[in-house]
Amino acid sequence: MAWQAWHMAQINPSILSADFARLAEEARAVEGADWLHVDVMDNHFVPNLTLGVPVVESLSRATDTPLDCHLMIEDPDRWAPQYVEAGAGSVTFHVEAAAAPVRLAREIRAKGARASMALRPATPIEPFEDLLPELDMLLIMTVEPGFGGQAFLDVMLPKIRRTRELISKHGLELWLQVDGGVSASTIERCAEAGADVFVAGSAVYGADDPAEAVRVLRDKADRATASAAWACGH
Ligand SMILES: O=C(CO)[C@@H](O)[C@H](O)COP(=O)(O)O
Ligand SMILES: [Fe+2]
């Protein structure tokens, strides 16, 4: 069935939970994942500091898995295009930090990457309904951004559901990503609510076999999606 191909769950391991001294090796440990999620933090937008453009450039040469860069930084209008040039296939900026989100999404797309916008837990989706056609993906944070290993905020499930309804209402081919606390015990609820791209840091890199953890997560998400009301009829 056509919808099955379209709605196949994508699993994006977050290298925030990997060993930063062995990044290339850790990236290769999850080959078979759909994207590698790269959390960029500037110690201003969030109280943590990770990596920047040079590391993304090196990582893009070290793995065939496409890079999904999640920018938790101030002034993404200035920096996001540089992550496309560094080799990212998808670049996510936070709407709370962007001065001109539509212009920025268009610039990311024009440079050849997928454009994605993230919402912190307290940021509602409704004011941004008209922006959705400008995006290839919307990221709903299911923890406060800044750190891996936090507990999943299940109060975000209604927002995931409402966002999926908006995507359907407008007939958009927009991916809906969730990030934060996604694990074997929470991924089914996210998929049932309407997410189709799942970031998992500690649930993948904390496992004895990260590649197997990716397969288990994808299987759980696919099964939950197959029985979800939102996926029927596509
Ligand atoms: O963006 C972030 C945190 O701000 C995430 O991408 C985390 O890295 C996810 O880690 P887990 O919650 O899955 O451990
Ligand atoms: Fe992230």
Coordinates of all heavy atoms in Angstrom, one line a residue, residues 5-6 21 32 39 43 61 86 88 100 126 138 154 157 173 198 224 231:
A5 N 4.8 2.9 2.4 CA 6.1 3.4 2.0 C 6.3 4.8 2.5 O 7.4 5.1 3.1 CB 6.2 3.3 0.5
W6 N 5.3 5.6 2.4 CA 5.4 7.0 2.8 C 5.6 7.2 4.3 O 6.4 8.0 4.8 CB 4.2 7.8 2.3 CG 4.1 9.2 2.8 CD1 3.1 9.7 3.6 CD2 5.1 10.2 2.6 NE1 3.4 11.0 3.9 CE2 4.6 11.3 3.3 CE3 6.3 10.3 1.9 CZ2 5.3 12.5 3.3 CZ3 7.0 11.4 2.0 CH2 6.5 12.6 2.6
A21 N 35.0 11.3 21.5 CA 36.4 11.1 21.1 C 36.4 10.1 20.0 O 37.5 9.9 19.4 CB 37.2 10.6 22.3
G32 N 22.6 2.0 8.8 CA 21.3 1.4 8.7 C 20.2 2.3 9.3 O 19.0 2.1 9.1
D39 N 23.3 17.3 17.3 CA 22.9 18.4 18.2 C 23.9 19.4 18.3 O 25.0 19.2 18.9 CB 22.5 17.8 19.6 CG 21.2 17.0 19.6 OD1 20.2 17.5 19.0 OD2 21.2 15.9 20.1
N43 N 25.6 27.1 24.1 CA 25.6 27.6 25.5 C 25.0 29.0 25.7 O 25.2 29.7 26.6 CB 27.1 27.7 26.0 CG 27.2 27.8 27.5 OD1 26.3 27.2 28.2 ND2 28.2 28.4 28.0
R61 N 32.1 13.6 6.0 CA 33.1 12.8 5.2 C 33.2 11.4 5.8 O 33.6 10.4 5.2 CB 34.4 13.5 5.2 CG 34.5 14.7 4.2 CD 35.9 15.1 4.0 NE 36.6 15.6 5.2 CZ 36.6 16.8 5.6 NH1 36.0 17.8 4.9 NH2 37.2 17.2 6.8
A86 N 28.4 22.7 5.1 CA 29.3 21.7 5.7 C 28.9 20.2 5.4 O 29.6 19.3 5.8 CB 29.3 21.9 7.2
A88 N 25.4 19.0 5.8 CA 24.1 18.5 6.4 C 23.1 18.3 5.3 O 22.9 19.2 4.4 CB 23.6 19.5 7.4
A100 N 13.8 35.5 11.0 CA 13.0 35.4 9.8 C 12.9 34.0 9.3 O 13.5 33.5 8.4 CB 13.6 36.3 8.7
E126 N 0.0 26.2 16.7 CA -1.0 26.9 15.9 C -0.6 28.2 15.3 O -0.9 28.5 14.1 CB -2.2 27.2 16.9 CG -3.1 25.9 17.1 CD -2.4 24.9 18.0 OE1 -1.5 25.3 18.7 OE2 -2.9 23.8 18.1
L138 N 9.0 19.2 10.6 CA 8.7 20.0 11.9 C 9.2 19.1 13.0 O 8.9 17.9 13.1 CB 7.2 20.3 12.0 CG 7.1 21.3 13.1 CD1 7.0 22.8 12.6 CD2 5.8 21.1 13.9
D154 N 5.2 13.4 28.3 CA 4.0 12.9 27.6 C 3.0 14.0 27.4 O 2.0 13.8 26.6 CB 3.5 11.6 28.1 CG 3.2 11.6 29.6 OD1 3.3 12.7 30.2 OD2 2.9 10.6 30.2
L157 N 2.1 14.9 23.8 CA 1.4 14.0 22.8 C 0.2 14.8 22.1 O 0.0 14.6 20.9 CB 0.9 12.8 23.5 CG 2.1 11.8 23.9 CD1 1.6 10.7 24.8 CD2 2.7 11.2 22.6
E173 N 3.4 17.0 2.5 CA 4.4 15.9 2.6 C 5.5 16.3 3.6 O 6.6 16.5 3.2 CB 4.9 15.5 1.3 CG 3.8 15.0 0.4 CD 4.4 14.4 -0.9 OE1 5.6 14.5 -1.1 OE2 3.6 13.8 -1.6
F198 N 12.0 9.8 14.3 CA 12.2 9.6 15.8 C 13.7 9.8 16.1 O 14.5 9.0 15.6 CB 11.7 8.2 16.2 CG 10.3 8.0 15.9 CD1 10.0 7.5 14.6 CD2 9.3 8.3 16.7 CE1 8.6 7.3 14.2 CE2 7.9 8.1 16.4 CZ 7.6 7.6 15.1
A224 N 3.1 0.5 15.4 CA 2.2 1.4 16.0 C 1.6 2.3 14.9 O 0.4 2.6 15.0 CB 2.9 2.3 17.0
A231 N -2.8 7.3 10.1 CA -2.1 6.8 8.9 C -3.1 6.0 8.0 O -2.7 5.8 6.8 CB -1.0 5.8 9.3

